[in-house]
Amino acid sequence: CPPHHEARPLRVLLSPTMPRLAFALATTAMVLPAGQANLYCPQADDMEGGSSATIVDRGYSIYGQGYVNGKAAYNLLGGWVSFDMDVSNAQVGVNTNLYTISPEGPIQNSGYCDIQENGSPQCMEMDIIENNGNCLMQTTWHTEPNSNGGCDEGGCGATASIPSSKKFHMNATFDADGTLTTYIDGAAVDGYYPTPDDGAKQTVVDTMKRIGAVIWSSQWEGWVPSDWSCPGYAGGLDYSEFSVSNLIIFAPNGVVQGLHPTKCSDTDDWDGTDDHSDDHSDDGSDDDSDDGSDDGSDDGSDDGSDDGNQCIIDSNYDYSGYDISYDDVSGSDDCCDGCYATQGCAAWTFSSDQWGDVRCYYKSSKAGRTYSQGMTSGYLPNNNLIRNTTSMLRGAAKVA
């Protein structure tokens, strides 16, 4: 039976704006170990789950009640967890989530723990995201297994609305001092109540070093954030579904316990030297749309960008959803460089509207590709989502 949480205190509903991506990298924490960065791209064999879960490389989907968990406990201090989430088919009143636990014993399902008194051992639980269906999300710190206040069983929580597309990018950064900050489509989730104090941060530091943090994700009913702020519950757990994709974990201090997951450098799409082999990600739509990508990408894909920053141009197509951030620019030629400079960016769409806004929208995926006459989009060749991220980490290491 997948784990679930006890009822928690109500939280304050926030309506954050959408600033430019501000998290990038905390250079003081990004000192990489010698050799290859500890950048992990969990494959299907690195995860396990219940019968209602479908697990694939770097992601999964859960239909009805169920769970998925990793097999490794990471020291995430100075690192981050990045992924895309699709809650289009999640039902209001159903809790869909991704969080970390820090078990003293075995990491697999038999050794499950969380912060609540529910029959399993109590342990630190950091809820990167818990959703009320596809209406509202919450990030919650749980560092103390009691009800004494602070980041206890009730937790230190901050809420935000889920983007209208119901498909979004999440990034969770863990500073060296233990501070967890989450971003939904580039907007920081802020306004914690109560505010995590130095004691909570120190617990995160100590626990990460001694035990590490295991990725868990589940779908269940019984508690959701801000249940008064969303439409009424209709009992839809059996018909509720959500998915996570493009999961990448950066743990500069490596794995503390458990089975070592697959590093991104060990995946088939790590080497960036060949022939745009990821073109199949268009999901079969309009085969002729990328006609010039393989043979003629050098004649226009450079877009006047910095040396080495090449993008595949996709004319008359819009990449809907999966937004990370945007920049105000002078023209589409700026989008390729901007994507390379944005953590987790794999694609972009250029927009010039009737109100004079000229922008590059940076995306974690081009899965929302739709035909739109006159639009210009582009993407990084050969799954540069991974290589772009690694390049930024190496740059941060040099600064540090």
Side-chain angles (χ1 to χ4, degrees):
C1 178
H4 59 276
H5 309 285
E6 300 295 330
R8 297 170 178 162
L10 301 179
R11 305 297 181 196
V12 178
L13 175 64
L14 304 179
S15 298
T17 57
M18 178 69 175
R20 296 182 185 180
L21 189 63
F23 56 84
L25 296 168
T27 55
T28 56
M30 291 297 184
V31 180
L32 306 186
Q36 185 60 60
N38 286 333
L39 191 67
Y40 299 94
C41 292
Q43 305 294 285
D45 290 344
D46 298 321
M47 298 176 278
E48 61 187 0
S51 59
S52 63
T54 300
I55 301 175
V56 297
D57 292 346
R58 292 178 57 205
Y60 53 87
S61 61
I62 300 176
Y63 186 87
Q65 181 169 301
Y67 70 95
V68 169
N69 66 274
K71 300 177 182 179
Y74 306 88
N75 181 344
L76 293 171
L77 297 175
W80 42 259
V81 179
S82 175
F83 56 93
D84 293 322
M85 182 172 272
D86 184 345
V87 294
S88 300
N89 296 317
Q91 302 299 306
V92 172
V94 174
N95 188 312
T96 61
N97 56 66
L98 189 149
Y99 59 106
T100 70
I101 62 170
S102 298
E104 295 277 359
I107 289 175
Q108 279 74 8
N109 186 28
S110 59
Y112 180 78
C113 65
D114 66 25
I115 198 65
Q116 307 298 336
E117 293 186 80
N118 54 18
S120 63
Q122 289 184 276
C123 66
M124 186 180 80
E125 173 187 337
M126 302 294 278
D127 297 326
I128 293 173
I129 181 169
E130 285 189 286
N131 301 312
N132 183 344
N134 54 29
C135 168
L136 185 140
M137 63 80 67
Q138 178 168 304
T139 296
T140 313
W141 299 39
H142 297 284
T143 58
E144 303 301 327
N146 55 50
S147 299
N148 297 336
C151 300
D152 59 5
E153 294 170 0
C156 300
T159 60
S161 296
I162 290 175
S164 58
S165 67
K166 313 305 180 186
K167 301 175 182 179
F168 51 89
H169 181 70
M170 285 295 300
N171 189 283
T173 63
F174 290 83
D175 291 348
D177 71 350
T179 299
L180 165 65
T181 307
T182 59
Y183 304 83
I184 181 168
D185 276 350
V189 179
D190 205 354
Y192 282 93
Y193 180 80
T195 302
D197 60 18
D198 290 342
K201 295 176 185 178
Q202 190 60 49
T203 297
V204 174
V205 171
D206 295 342
T207 304
M208 286 290 183
K209 291 179 178 179
R210 186 173 66 88
I211 300 174
V214 184
I215 301 295
W216 271 77
S217 181
S218 64
Q219 181 166 238
W220 60 284
E221 59 184 354
W223 179 88
V224 289
S226 301
D227 55 358
W228 73 94
S229 301
C230 299
Y233 175 60
L237 176 60
D238 291 342
Y239 309 101
S240 188
E241 181 181 15
F242 79 102
S243 65
V244 167
S245 59
N246 296 321
L247 176 62
I248 300 180
I249 299 164
F250 176 54
N253 298 296
V255 172
V256 180
Q257 59 172 320
L259 301 179
H260 280 254
T262 304
K263 287 190 175 184
C264 297
S265 56
D266 295 329
T267 59
D268 292 339
D269 51 11
W270 174 258
D271 194 305
T273 59
D274 69 343
D275 54 7
H276 319 313
S277 59
D278 67 330
D279 286 351
H280 65 274
S281 63
D282 289 338
D283 295 327
S285 58
D286 287 0
D287 292 339
D288 61 349
S289 62
D290 288 331
D291 283 350
S293 299
D294 292 341
D295 299 327
S297 58
D298 290 340
D299 60 12
S301 59
D302 196 352
D303 271 342
S305 56
D306 291 341
D307 291 344
N309 288 357
Q310 293 189 348
C311 292
I312 308 303
I313 303 304
D314 201 1
S315 298
N316 297 320
Y317 278 86
D318 176 27
Y319 297 160
S320 177
Y322 300 95
D323 288 341
I324 298 174
S325 63
Y326 68 84
D327 276 333
D328 293 315
V329 297
S330 57
S332 60
D333 289 354
D334 299 324
C335 296
C336 187
D337 285 341
C339 187
Y340 274 89
T342 301
Q343 181 191 5
C345 182
W348 50 265
T349 291
F350 172 73
S351 173
S352 178
D353 62 31
Q354 59 183 321
W355 296 281
D357 291 328
V358 182
R359 291 173 174 171
C360 297
Y361 288 87
Y362 304 121
K363 316 277 184 171
S364 61
S365 171
K366 61 172 183 167
R369 182 177 182 268
T370 55
Y371 181 80
S372 181
Q373 183 67 36
M375 294 290 289
T376 300
S377 296
Y379 60 94
L380 279 58
N382 300 311
N383 201 5
N384 262 355
L385 169 60
I386 299 173
R387 292 199 312 283
N388 181 25
T389 303
T390 305
S391 176
M392 291 193 69
L393 293 176
R394 288 171 178 160
K398 291 177 181 178
V399 173

